[in-house]
Amino acid sequence: MEKNGTDIDSRLAARLRALRADRGLTLDALAERSGVSRSMISLIERGESSPTANVLERVAAGLGVTLATLFADAERADASPVARRDDQVAWQDPATGYRRRNLSPSGYPSPIELVEVELPPGARVSYDSGARAAVVEQQIYLLDGIIELTVGEVTHRLSGGDCLAMRLDRPTGFHNPTDRPARYIVALTTDGRPALNAVKR
């Protein structure tokens, strides 16, 4: 079933607390690394805030994980390699209506993460997290519609069937300039190498 509302907020809260604890980070330390205020992180961890995509991306970067990881279960040996549609976690950005669905089997050990995204007509979603502690490679495959995808200072206009490869090491922005939704698949992999331009906030 789709996870949304208080259900997804509670799931996100528990996952964020676990990831922070695994890394031995205090709220203050994660705030410094992510550029997100201590009070906002605390609200998210208590399930008392519905954060935007940009805020969650910055928190994920501070933790050294991808945004998709925040909505996935912790890896475990007995996780199923199959992700049924009804079990995939879906989340909607409260600021833009942008919707994302984790397609990959949750908790299954794999270096690849797949996400399906629907960007509403006219919507813009920006991520300003920039440099990360590890190299994250991403490819965007457009299923339907048109998006203008800005990586750093370069903007690519993509339409159905187009695929863009990019590294998550600079601010990015997604814009749907049309009057109908755009749908695309995001494939991500983190190889564990330290990013050459990684900086501490």
Side-chain angles (χ1 to χ4, degrees):
M1 69 186 72
E2 290 198 0
K3 315 292 195 303
N4 46 44
T6 55
D7 184 35
I8 192 64
D9 289 341
S10 298
R11 181 189 182 95
L12 179 61
R15 183 65 166 139
L16 179 52
R17 289 195 305 270
L19 287 167
R20 183 169 63 81
D22 287 346
R23 285 152 180 76
L25 294 174
T26 64
L27 284 170
D28 287 330
L30 181 54
E32 182 179 358
R33 291 175 59 159
S34 66
V36 176
S37 72
R38 182 188 190 282
S39 59
M40 173 56 74
I41 296 172
S42 179
L43 285 172
I44 298 171
E45 289 195 358
R46 297 199 305 268
E48 297 175 1
S49 172
S50 296
T52 64
N54 183 38
V55 168
L56 288 182
E57 168 67 10
R58 292 163 67 185
V59 170
L63 289 166
V65 301
T66 64
L67 179 55
T69 301
L70 296 184
F71 297 99
D73 294 333
E75 289 188 0
R76 62 184 193 278
D78 64 345
S80 172
V82 178
R84 303 297 181 190
R85 181 75 174 181
D86 287 348
D87 296 325
Q88 295 166 358
V89 177
W91 175 81
Q92 184 168 344
D93 179 13
T96 63
Y98 144 102
R99 291 180 58 82
R100 58 182 292 124
R101 176 187 291 272
N102 277 22
L103 302 180
S104 298
S106 191
Y108 186 80
S110 172
I112 301 169
E113 294 174 297
L114 293 179
V115 178
E116 179 184 37
V117 176
E118 181 175 305
L119 194 61
R124 291 180 185 271
V125 177
S126 298
Y127 301 114
D128 60 7
S129 52
R132 294 165 177 267
V135 175
V136 179
E137 302 287 353
Q138 174 173 289
Q139 293 193 16
I140 308 292
Y141 177 74
L142 203 68
L143 298 170
D144 299 300
I146 293 173
I147 61 170
E148 294 175 346
L149 205 172
T150 301
V151 183
E153 298 180 354
V154 179
T155 298
H156 306 271
R157 186 179 176 91
L158 306 178
S159 55
D162 292 344
C163 184
L164 173 68
M166 55 189 283
R167 178 170 290 181
L168 297 186
D169 60 359
R170 66 202 69 189
T172 59
F174 294 76
H175 175 221
N176 179 355
T178 74
D179 59 1
R180 66 188 185 95
R183 291 176 55 248
Y184 53 92
I185 298 294
V186 182
L188 307 102
T189 183
T190 304
D191 67 11
R193 286 179 296 155
L196 295 178
N197 63 343
V199 295
K200 183 178 180 181
R201 289 180 180 273

